[in-house]
PDB file of all heavy atoms in Angstrom:
ATOM      1  N   VAL A  92     -35.849  -5.032 -70.172  1.00 95.00           N
ATOM      2  CA  VAL A  92     -35.898  -5.559 -71.516  1.00 95.00           C
ATOM      3  C   VAL A  92     -34.585  -6.216 -71.898  1.00 95.00           C
ATOM      4  O   VAL A  92     -34.539  -7.325 -72.438  1.00 95.00           O
ATOM      5  CB  VAL A  92     -36.317  -4.466 -72.503  1.00 95.00           C
ATOM      6  CG1 VAL A  92     -36.140  -4.928 -73.957  1.00 95.00           C
ATOM      7  CG2 VAL A  92     -37.750  -4.046 -72.288  1.00 95.00           C
ATOM      8  N   PRO A 222      -8.875  -2.818 -82.275  1.00 94.00           N
ATOM      9  CA  PRO A 222      -9.964  -3.382 -83.098  1.00 94.00           C
ATOM     10  C   PRO A 222     -10.836  -4.334 -82.328  1.00 94.00           C
ATOM     11  O   PRO A 222     -10.326  -5.240 -81.636  1.00 94.00           O
ATOM     12  CB  PRO A 222      -9.200  -4.132 -84.211  1.00 94.00           C
ATOM     13  CG  PRO A 222      -7.814  -3.529 -84.208  1.00 94.00           C
ATOM     14  CD  PRO A 222      -7.557  -3.142 -82.807  1.00 94.00           C
ATOM     15  N   VAL A 285     -20.426   4.677 -88.247  1.00 97.00           N
ATOM     16  CA  VAL A 285     -20.056   3.240 -88.114  1.00 97.00           C
ATOM     17  C   VAL A 285     -20.842   2.553 -87.010  1.00 97.00           C
ATOM     18  O   VAL A 285     -21.298   1.431 -87.181  1.00 97.00           O
ATOM     19  CB  VAL A 285     -18.533   3.097 -87.924  1.00 97.00           C
ATOM     20  CG1 VAL A 285     -18.183   1.596 -87.943  1.00 97.00           C
ATOM     21  CG2 VAL A 285     -17.758   3.811 -88.976  1.00 97.00           C
ATOM     22  N   LEU A 338       1.278 -10.729 -98.476  1.00 94.00           N
ATOM     23  CA  LEU A 338       1.894 -11.959 -97.909  1.00 94.00           C
ATOM     24  C   LEU A 338       2.241 -11.710 -96.432  1.00 94.00           C
ATOM     25  O   LEU A 338       2.631 -10.599 -96.076  1.00 94.00           O
ATOM     26  CB  LEU A 338       3.158 -12.287 -98.707  1.00 94.00           C
ATOM     27  CG  LEU A 338       2.996 -12.979-100.079  1.00 94.00           C
ATOM     28  CD1 LEU A 338       4.355 -13.038-100.759  1.00 94.00           C
ATOM     29  CD2 LEU A 338       2.451 -14.378 -99.876  1.00 94.00           C
ATOM     30  N   VAL A 369      -3.665 -14.302 -91.720  1.00 91.00           N
ATOM     31  CA  VAL A 369      -2.990 -15.560 -91.609  1.00 91.00           C
ATOM     32  C   VAL A 369      -4.015 -16.656 -91.320  1.00 91.00           C
ATOM     33  O   VAL A 369      -4.813 -16.502 -90.408  1.00 91.00           O
ATOM     34  CB  VAL A 369      -1.893 -15.527 -90.528  1.00 91.00           C
ATOM     35  CG1 VAL A 369      -1.307 -16.938 -90.302  1.00 91.00           C
ATOM     36  CG2 VAL A 369      -0.852 -14.546 -90.875  1.00 91.00           C
ATOM     37  N   PHE A 391       2.170 -28.573 -80.319  1.00 92.00           N
ATOM     38  CA  PHE A 391       2.894 -29.714 -79.668  1.00 92.00           C
ATOM     39  C   PHE A 391       3.287 -30.705 -80.726  1.00 92.00           C
ATOM     40  O   PHE A 391       2.464 -31.280 -81.450  1.00 92.00           O
ATOM     41  CB  PHE A 391       1.989 -30.367 -78.621  1.00 92.00           C
ATOM     42  CG  PHE A 391       1.719 -29.441 -77.450  1.00 92.00           C
ATOM     43  CD1 PHE A 391       0.719 -28.512 -77.504  1.00 92.00           C
ATOM     44  CD2 PHE A 391       2.472 -29.549 -76.289  1.00 92.00           C
ATOM     45  CE1 PHE A 391       0.508 -27.610 -76.463  1.00 92.00           C
ATOM     46  CE2 PHE A 391       2.244 -28.673 -75.207  1.00 92.00           C
ATOM     47  CZ  PHE A 391       1.251 -27.737 -75.302  1.00 92.00           C
ATOM     48  N   LYS A 464     -11.977 -28.627 -50.496  1.00 97.00           N
ATOM     49  CA  LYS A 464     -11.833 -29.989 -49.989  1.00 97.00           C
ATOM     50  C   LYS A 464     -10.533 -30.133 -49.204  1.00 97.00           C
ATOM     51  O   LYS A 464      -9.663 -29.303 -49.196  1.00 97.00           O
ATOM     52  CB  LYS A 464     -11.843 -30.968 -51.210  1.00 97.00           C
ATOM     53  CG  LYS A 464     -13.039 -30.954 -52.047  1.00 97.00           C
ATOM     54  CD  LYS A 464     -12.970 -31.906 -53.216  1.00 97.00           C
ATOM     55  CE  LYS A 464     -14.179 -31.961 -54.061  1.00 97.00           C
ATOM     56  NZ  LYS A 464     -14.073 -32.903 -55.224  1.00 97.00           N
ATOM     57  N   GLN A 641      -0.548  -0.928 -68.045  1.00 70.00           N
ATOM     58  CA  GLN A 641       0.495  -1.893 -67.793  1.00 70.00           C
ATOM     59  C   GLN A 641       1.288  -1.498 -66.568  1.00 70.00           C
ATOM     60  O   GLN A 641       1.647  -0.342 -66.361  1.00 70.00           O
ATOM     61  CB  GLN A 641       1.453  -1.964 -68.985  1.00 70.00           C
ATOM     62  CG  GLN A 641       0.915  -2.524 -70.236  1.00 70.00           C
ATOM     63  CD  GLN A 641       1.937  -2.458 -71.339  1.00 70.00           C
ATOM     64  OE1 GLN A 641       2.704  -1.540 -71.438  1.00 70.00           O
ATOM     65  NE2 GLN A 641       1.970  -3.485 -72.184  1.00 70.00           N
ATOM     66  N   ILE A 689      13.435 -18.825 -47.489  1.00 92.00           N
ATOM     67  CA  ILE A 689      13.765 -18.675 -48.893  1.00 92.00           C
ATOM     68  C   ILE A 689      12.537 -18.033 -49.632  1.00 92.00           C
ATOM     69  O   ILE A 689      11.457 -18.580 -49.579  1.00 92.00           O
ATOM     70  CB  ILE A 689      14.127 -20.003 -49.605  1.00 92.00           C
ATOM     71  CG1 ILE A 689      15.197 -20.771 -48.806  1.00 92.00           C
ATOM     72  CG2 ILE A 689      14.534 -19.759 -51.035  1.00 92.00           C
ATOM     73  CD1 ILE A 689      16.527 -20.056 -48.778  1.00 92.00           C
ATOM     74  N   VAL A 747       4.729 -27.792 -65.605  1.00 87.00           N
ATOM     75  CA  VAL A 747       5.410 -27.607 -64.286  1.00 87.00           C
ATOM     76  C   VAL A 747       6.875 -28.021 -64.441  1.00 87.00           C
ATOM     77  O   VAL A 747       7.190 -29.108 -64.956  1.00 87.00           O
ATOM     78  CB  VAL A 747       4.759 -28.491 -63.206  1.00 87.00           C
ATOM     79  CG1 VAL A 747       5.449 -28.244 -61.862  1.00 87.00           C
ATOM     80  CG2 VAL A 747       3.273 -28.145 -63.122  1.00 87.00           C
TER      81      VAL A 747
END
Side-chain angles (χ1 to χ4, degrees):
V92 169
V285 185
L338 281 171
V369 174
F391 293 82
K464 299 179 180 179
Q641 292 177 322
I689 308 296
V747 181

